[in-house]
């Protein structure tokens, strides 16, 4: 898309940058996944500090879901796949999903 801008009589055509749609990557609570494992996921896949990871994990634990991060479509899809795969391969029922922001 382009837009026209008037600068001192001259009309300039500027490229219009579209802002990409963003997606929330959400962790769901369950009764079995160890808290330390959830913290490990937040540190490993979402680059959160120990403190921030603990805060998000406890938030999910209390409210049954919480946002681990917000990403563009392809990155969000990759995070969801990686987290679900990592949980499954460690025999934990933790589930990760995404939704439009
Ligand atoms: N509820 C879990 C427990 O008490 C901890 C937990 C937190 C599990 C967040 C999943 O996404 C989750 N061990």
């Amino acid at each position: 898309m382009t837009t026209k801008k008037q600068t001192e009589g001259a009309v300039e055509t500027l490229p219009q940058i579209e802002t990409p749609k963003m997606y929330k990557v959400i962790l769901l609570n369950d009764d079995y996944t160890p808290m330390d494992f959830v913290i490990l996921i937040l540190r490993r896949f979402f680059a959160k500090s120990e403190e921030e990871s603990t805060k998000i994990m406890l938030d999910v634990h209390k409210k049954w879901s919480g946002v681990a991060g917000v990403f563009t479509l392809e990155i969000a899809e990759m995070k969801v796949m990686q987290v679900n795969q990592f949980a499954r391969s460690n025999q934990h029922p933790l589930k990760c999903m995404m939704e439009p922001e």
Side-chain angles (χ1 to χ4, degrees), residues 11 18 24 29 31 35 39 42-44 49-50 64 71 73 75 78 84-85 87 93 98:
V11 176
E18 306 282 345
K24 293 186 280 192
N29 190 30
D31 290 330
M35 290 183 169
I39 291 170
L42 287 159
R43 300 211 61 176
R44 180 180 291 199
S49 67
E50 179 84 37
W64 282 83
F71 305 94
L73 180 66
I75 305 289
M78 188 178 64
N84 286 331
Q85 168 64 46
M98 59 192 266

PDB file of all heavy atoms in Angstrom, residues 11 18 24 29 31 35 39 42-44 49-50 64 71 73 75 78 84-85 87 93 98:
ATOM      1  N   VAL A  11       4.330  16.230  -4.397  1.00  0.00           N
ATOM      2  CA  VAL A  11       3.613  15.078  -3.843  1.00  0.00           C
ATOM      3  C   VAL A  11       4.555  13.879  -3.858  1.00  0.00           C
ATOM      4  O   VAL A  11       5.057  13.482  -4.904  1.00  0.00           O
ATOM      5  CB  VAL A  11       2.327  14.774  -4.640  1.00  0.00           C
ATOM      6  CG1 VAL A  11       1.640  13.516  -4.102  1.00  0.00           C
ATOM      7  CG2 VAL A  11       1.369  15.961  -4.570  1.00  0.00           C
ATOM      8  N   GLU A  18       2.732  -2.096   7.028  1.00  0.00           N
ATOM      9  CA  GLU A  18       1.610  -2.720   7.759  1.00  0.00           C
ATOM     10  C   GLU A  18       2.144  -3.228   9.102  1.00  0.00           C
ATOM     11  O   GLU A  18       3.190  -3.851   9.144  1.00  0.00           O
ATOM     12  CB  GLU A  18       1.059  -3.915   6.972  1.00  0.00           C
ATOM     13  CG  GLU A  18       0.665  -3.611   5.536  1.00  0.00           C
ATOM     14  CD  GLU A  18      -0.678  -2.901   5.416  1.00  0.00           C
ATOM     15  OE1 GLU A  18      -1.433  -2.904   6.406  1.00  0.00           O
ATOM     16  OE2 GLU A  18      -0.963  -2.363   4.333  1.00  0.00           O
ATOM     17  N   LYS A  24      -0.997 -13.885  21.266  1.00  0.00           N
ATOM     18  CA  LYS A  24      -0.601 -14.204  22.644  1.00  0.00           C
ATOM     19  C   LYS A  24      -0.326 -15.700  22.730  1.00  0.00           C
ATOM     20  O   LYS A  24      -1.145 -16.501  22.267  1.00  0.00           O
ATOM     21  CB  LYS A  24      -1.736 -13.873  23.618  1.00  0.00           C
ATOM     22  CG  LYS A  24      -2.016 -12.396  23.729  1.00  0.00           C
ATOM     23  CD  LYS A  24      -3.028 -12.123  24.809  1.00  0.00           C
ATOM     24  CE  LYS A  24      -4.436 -12.378  24.318  1.00  0.00           C
ATOM     25  NZ  LYS A  24      -5.495 -11.892  25.193  1.00  0.00           N
ATOM     26  N   ASN A  29      -2.961 -23.910  33.091  1.00  0.00           N
ATOM     27  CA  ASN A  29      -2.651 -24.602  34.343  1.00  0.00           C
ATOM     28  C   ASN A  29      -3.123 -26.057  34.277  1.00  0.00           C
ATOM     29  O   ASN A  29      -3.988 -26.418  33.463  1.00  0.00           O
ATOM     30  CB  ASN A  29      -3.358 -23.892  35.498  1.00  0.00           C
ATOM     31  CG  ASN A  29      -2.897 -24.403  36.849  1.00  0.00           C
ATOM     32  OD1 ASN A  29      -1.759 -24.839  37.008  1.00  0.00           O
ATOM     33  ND2 ASN A  29      -3.792 -24.379  37.822  1.00  0.00           N
ATOM     34  N   ASP A  31      -2.981 -29.789  37.210  1.00  0.00           N
ATOM     35  CA  ASP A  31      -2.676 -30.156  38.605  1.00  0.00           C
ATOM     36  C   ASP A  31      -1.366 -30.930  38.754  1.00  0.00           C
ATOM     37  O   ASP A  31      -0.984 -31.234  39.884  1.00  0.00           O
ATOM     38  CB  ASP A  31      -3.821 -30.993  39.184  1.00  0.00           C
ATOM     39  CG  ASP A  31      -5.075 -30.162  39.399  1.00  0.00           C
ATOM     40  OD1 ASP A  31      -4.932 -28.943  39.652  1.00  0.00           O
ATOM     41  OD2 ASP A  31      -6.185 -30.724  39.309  1.00  0.00           O
ATOM     42  N   MET A  35       5.950 -26.979  39.299  1.00  0.00           N
ATOM     43  CA  MET A  35       6.165 -25.530  39.151  1.00  0.00           C
ATOM     44  C   MET A  35       7.540 -25.229  38.550  1.00  0.00           C
ATOM     45  O   MET A  35       7.670 -24.332  37.706  1.00  0.00           O
ATOM     46  CB  MET A  35       6.003 -24.847  40.505  1.00  0.00           C
ATOM     47  CG  MET A  35       4.566 -24.853  40.990  1.00  0.00           C
ATOM     48  SD  MET A  35       4.400 -23.978  42.540  1.00  0.00           S
ATOM     49  CE  MET A  35       2.619 -23.878  42.670  1.00  0.00           C
ATOM     50  N   ILE A  39       8.649 -22.953  35.201  1.00  0.00           N
ATOM     51  CA  ILE A  39       9.657 -21.876  35.265  1.00  0.00           C
ATOM     52  C   ILE A  39      10.758 -22.134  34.226  1.00  0.00           C
ATOM     53  O   ILE A  39      11.178 -21.211  33.511  1.00  0.00           O
ATOM     54  CB  ILE A  39      10.228 -21.751  36.696  1.00  0.00           C
ATOM     55  CG1 ILE A  39       9.133 -21.220  37.632  1.00  0.00           C
ATOM     56  CG2 ILE A  39      11.465 -20.849  36.729  1.00  0.00           C
ATOM     57  CD1 ILE A  39       9.471 -21.268  39.111  1.00  0.00           C
ATOM     58  N   LEU A  42       9.501 -21.115  30.806  1.00  0.00           N
ATOM     59  CA  LEU A  42       9.463 -19.656  30.626  1.00  0.00           C
ATOM     60  C   LEU A  42      10.871 -19.092  30.421  1.00  0.00           C
ATOM     61  O   LEU A  42      11.071 -18.173  29.627  1.00  0.00           O
ATOM     62  CB  LEU A  42       8.761 -19.001  31.821  1.00  0.00           C
ATOM     63  CG  LEU A  42       7.239 -19.237  31.808  1.00  0.00           C
ATOM     64  CD1 LEU A  42       6.653 -19.056  33.203  1.00  0.00           C
ATOM     65  CD2 LEU A  42       6.569 -18.280  30.823  1.00  0.00           C
ATOM     66  N   ARG A  43      11.849 -19.680  31.093  1.00  0.00           N
ATOM     67  CA  ARG A  43      13.240 -19.224  30.939  1.00  0.00           C
ATOM     68  C   ARG A  43      13.790 -19.662  29.583  1.00  0.00           C
ATOM     69  O   ARG A  43      14.394 -18.869  28.862  1.00  0.00           O
ATOM     70  CB  ARG A  43      14.109 -19.798  32.060  1.00  0.00           C
ATOM     71  CG  ARG A  43      13.611 -19.352  33.440  1.00  0.00           C
ATOM     72  CD  ARG A  43      14.710 -19.227  34.422  1.00  0.00           C
ATOM     73  NE  ARG A  43      15.656 -18.220  33.958  1.00  0.00           N
ATOM     74  CZ  ARG A  43      16.711 -17.813  34.635  1.00  0.00           C
ATOM     75  NH1 ARG A  43      16.971 -18.322  35.812  1.00  0.00           N
ATOM     76  NH2 ARG A  43      17.515 -16.901  34.157  1.00  0.00           N
ATOM     77  N   ARG A  44      13.563 -20.911  29.226  1.00  0.00           N
ATOM     78  CA  ARG A  44      14.169 -21.472  28.016  1.00  0.00           C
ATOM     79  C   ARG A  44      13.529 -20.968  26.730  1.00  0.00           C
ATOM     80  O   ARG A  44      14.216 -20.610  25.782  1.00  0.00           O
ATOM     81  CB  ARG A  44      14.079 -22.998  28.053  1.00  0.00           C
ATOM     82  CG  ARG A  44      14.686 -23.638  26.828  1.00  0.00           C
ATOM     83  CD  ARG A  44      14.617 -25.132  26.846  1.00  0.00           C
ATOM     84  NE  ARG A  44      15.482 -25.710  27.858  1.00  0.00           N
ATOM     85  CZ  ARG A  44      15.882 -26.982  27.841  1.00  0.00           C
ATOM     86  NH1 ARG A  44      15.487 -27.784  26.872  1.00  0.00           N
ATOM     87  NH2 ARG A  44      16.654 -27.456  28.779  1.00  0.00           N
ATOM     88  N   SER A  49      13.377 -13.838  33.013  1.00  0.00           N
ATOM     89  CA  SER A  49      14.252 -13.970  34.182  1.00  0.00           C
ATOM     90  C   SER A  49      13.607 -14.958  35.169  1.00  0.00           C
ATOM     91  O   SER A  49      12.404 -15.249  35.059  1.00  0.00           O
ATOM     92  CB  SER A  49      14.433 -12.611  34.849  1.00  0.00           C
ATOM     93  OG  SER A  49      13.200 -12.199  35.409  1.00  0.00           O
ATOM     94  N   GLU A  50      14.390 -15.388  36.121  1.00  0.00           N
ATOM     95  CA  GLU A  50      13.884 -16.293  37.171  1.00  0.00           C
ATOM     96  C   GLU A  50      12.685 -15.637  37.883  1.00  0.00           C
ATOM     97  O   GLU A  50      11.649 -16.271  38.102  1.00  0.00           O
ATOM     98  CB  GLU A  50      15.027 -16.545  38.180  1.00  0.00           C
ATOM     99  CG  GLU A  50      14.655 -17.452  39.343  1.00  0.00           C
ATOM    100  CD  GLU A  50      14.785 -18.932  38.975  1.00  0.00           C
ATOM    101  OE1 GLU A  50      15.725 -19.262  38.231  1.00  0.00           O
ATOM    102  OE2 GLU A  50      13.947 -19.719  39.434  1.00  0.00           O
ATOM    103  N   TRP A  64      -5.506 -20.043  36.183  1.00  0.00           N
ATOM    104  CA  TRP A  64      -5.689 -21.147  35.219  1.00  0.00           C
ATOM    105  C   TRP A  64      -5.217 -20.862  33.800  1.00  0.00           C
ATOM    106  O   TRP A  64      -5.194 -21.739  32.950  1.00  0.00           O
ATOM    107  CB  TRP A  64      -7.106 -21.729  35.253  1.00  0.00           C
ATOM    108  CG  TRP A  64      -7.195 -22.621  36.466  1.00  0.00           C
ATOM    109  CD1 TRP A  64      -7.452 -22.216  37.756  1.00  0.00           C
ATOM    110  CD2 TRP A  64      -6.898 -24.018  36.542  1.00  0.00           C
ATOM    111  NE1 TRP A  64      -7.335 -23.288  38.612  1.00  0.00           N
ATOM    112  CE2 TRP A  64      -7.015 -24.412  37.898  1.00  0.00           C
ATOM    113  CE3 TRP A  64      -6.559 -24.979  35.588  1.00  0.00           C
ATOM    114  CZ2 TRP A  64      -6.786 -25.704  38.331  1.00  0.00           C
ATOM    115  CZ3 TRP A  64      -6.348 -26.279  36.019  1.00  0.00           C
ATOM    116  CH2 TRP A  64      -6.460 -26.625  37.378  1.00  0.00           C
ATOM    117  N   PHE A  71       3.757 -12.552  20.092  1.00  0.00           N
ATOM    118  CA  PHE A  71       4.635 -12.728  18.937  1.00  0.00           C
ATOM    119  C   PHE A  71       3.849 -12.620  17.629  1.00  0.00           C
ATOM    120  O   PHE A  71       2.624 -12.724  17.621  1.00  0.00           O
ATOM    121  CB  PHE A  71       5.281 -14.116  18.979  1.00  0.00           C
ATOM    122  CG  PHE A  71       6.017 -14.408  20.261  1.00  0.00           C
ATOM    123  CD1 PHE A  71       5.376 -15.080  21.298  1.00  0.00           C
ATOM    124  CD2 PHE A  71       7.320 -13.999  20.444  1.00  0.00           C
ATOM    125  CE1 PHE A  71       6.034 -15.341  22.495  1.00  0.00           C
ATOM    126  CE2 PHE A  71       7.995 -14.259  21.636  1.00  0.00           C
ATOM    127  CZ  PHE A  71       7.348 -14.930  22.659  1.00  0.00           C
ATOM    128  N   LEU A  73       2.673 -14.296  14.001  1.00  0.00           N
ATOM    129  CA  LEU A  73       2.055 -15.614  13.779  1.00  0.00           C
ATOM    130  C   LEU A  73       3.044 -16.783  13.779  1.00  0.00           C
ATOM    131  O   LEU A  73       2.890 -17.740  14.546  1.00  0.00           O
ATOM    132  CB  LEU A  73       1.270 -15.590  12.460  1.00  0.00           C
ATOM    133  CG  LEU A  73       0.573 -16.891  12.080  1.00  0.00           C
ATOM    134  CD1 LEU A  73      -0.542 -17.225  13.050  1.00  0.00           C
ATOM    135  CD2 LEU A  73       0.027 -16.802  10.662  1.00  0.00           C
ATOM    136  N   ILE A  75       6.180 -17.030  14.725  1.00  0.00           N
ATOM    137  CA  ILE A  75       6.959 -17.218  15.967  1.00  0.00           C
ATOM    138  C   ILE A  75       6.055 -17.818  17.040  1.00  0.00           C
ATOM    139  O   ILE A  75       6.458 -18.755  17.751  1.00  0.00           O
ATOM    140  CB  ILE A  75       7.568 -15.869  16.465  1.00  0.00           C
ATOM    141  CG1 ILE A  75       8.407 -15.205  15.374  1.00  0.00           C
ATOM    142  CG2 ILE A  75       8.368 -16.082  17.742  1.00  0.00           C
ATOM    143  CD1 ILE A  75       9.715 -15.855  15.037  1.00  0.00           C
ATOM    144  N   MET A  78       5.548 -21.460  16.423  1.00  0.00           N
ATOM    145  CA  MET A  78       6.759 -22.219  16.757  1.00  0.00           C
ATOM    146  C   MET A  78       6.886 -22.404  18.277  1.00  0.00           C
ATOM    147  O   MET A  78       7.188 -23.502  18.742  1.00  0.00           O
ATOM    148  CB  MET A  78       7.983 -21.492  16.204  1.00  0.00           C
ATOM    149  CG  MET A  78       9.261 -22.284  16.328  1.00  0.00           C
ATOM    150  SD  MET A  78      10.663 -21.396  15.615  1.00  0.00           S
ATOM    151  CE  MET A  78      10.759 -19.973  16.692  1.00  0.00           C
ATOM    152  N   ASN A  84       4.755 -27.490  23.731  1.00  0.00           N
ATOM    153  CA  ASN A  84       3.939 -28.712  23.851  1.00  0.00           C
ATOM    154  C   ASN A  84       4.792 -29.968  23.653  1.00  0.00           C
ATOM    155  O   ASN A  84       4.628 -30.951  24.372  1.00  0.00           O
ATOM    156  CB  ASN A  84       2.764 -28.667  22.869  1.00  0.00           C
ATOM    157  CG  ASN A  84       1.683 -27.699  23.333  1.00  0.00           C
ATOM    158  OD1 ASN A  84       1.506 -27.473  24.531  1.00  0.00           O
ATOM    159  ND2 ASN A  84       0.965 -27.119  22.397  1.00  0.00           N
ATOM    160  N   GLN A  85       5.715 -29.895  22.717  1.00  0.00           N
ATOM    161  CA  GLN A  85       6.624 -31.022  22.445  1.00  0.00           C
ATOM    162  C   GLN A  85       7.528 -31.279  23.666  1.00  0.00           C
ATOM    163  O   GLN A  85       7.707 -32.417  24.090  1.00  0.00           O
ATOM    164  CB  GLN A  85       7.434 -30.688  21.194  1.00  0.00           C
ATOM    165  CG  GLN A  85       8.621 -31.593  20.911  1.00  0.00           C
ATOM    166  CD  GLN A  85       8.189 -33.013  20.623  1.00  0.00           C
ATOM    167  OE1 GLN A  85       7.259 -33.225  19.854  1.00  0.00           O
ATOM    168  NE2 GLN A  85       8.834 -33.981  21.253  1.00  0.00           N
ATOM    169  N   ALA A  87       7.009 -30.435  26.814  1.00  0.00           N
ATOM    170  CA  ALA A  87       6.200 -30.946  27.940  1.00  0.00           C
ATOM    171  C   ALA A  87       5.898 -32.425  27.729  1.00  0.00           C
ATOM    172  O   ALA A  87       6.081 -33.241  28.649  1.00  0.00           O
ATOM    173  CB  ALA A  87       4.913 -30.138  28.066  1.00  0.00           C
ATOM    174  N   PRO A  93       1.674 -32.883  31.573  1.00  0.00           N
ATOM    175  CA  PRO A  93       0.456 -32.570  30.802  1.00  0.00           C
ATOM    176  C   PRO A  93       0.307 -31.091  30.409  1.00  0.00           C
ATOM    177  O   PRO A  93      -0.698 -30.720  29.797  1.00  0.00           O
ATOM    178  CB  PRO A  93      -0.663 -32.982  31.765  1.00  0.00           C
ATOM    179  CG  PRO A  93      -0.082 -32.818  33.120  1.00  0.00           C
ATOM    180  CD  PRO A  93       1.392 -33.095  32.995  1.00  0.00           C
ATOM    181  N   MET A  98      -2.350 -20.550  21.542  1.00  0.00           N
ATOM    182  CA  MET A  98      -2.203 -19.138  21.144  1.00  0.00           C
ATOM    183  C   MET A  98      -3.545 -18.554  20.754  1.00  0.00           C
ATOM    184  O   MET A  98      -4.473 -19.291  20.396  1.00  0.00           O
ATOM    185  CB  MET A  98      -1.215 -19.003  19.998  1.00  0.00           C
ATOM    186  CG  MET A  98      -1.598 -19.772  18.764  1.00  0.00           C
ATOM    187  SD  MET A  98      -0.228 -19.852  17.603  1.00  0.00           S
ATOM    188  CE  MET A  98      -0.624 -18.438  16.592  1.00  0.00           C
TER     189      MET A  98
END
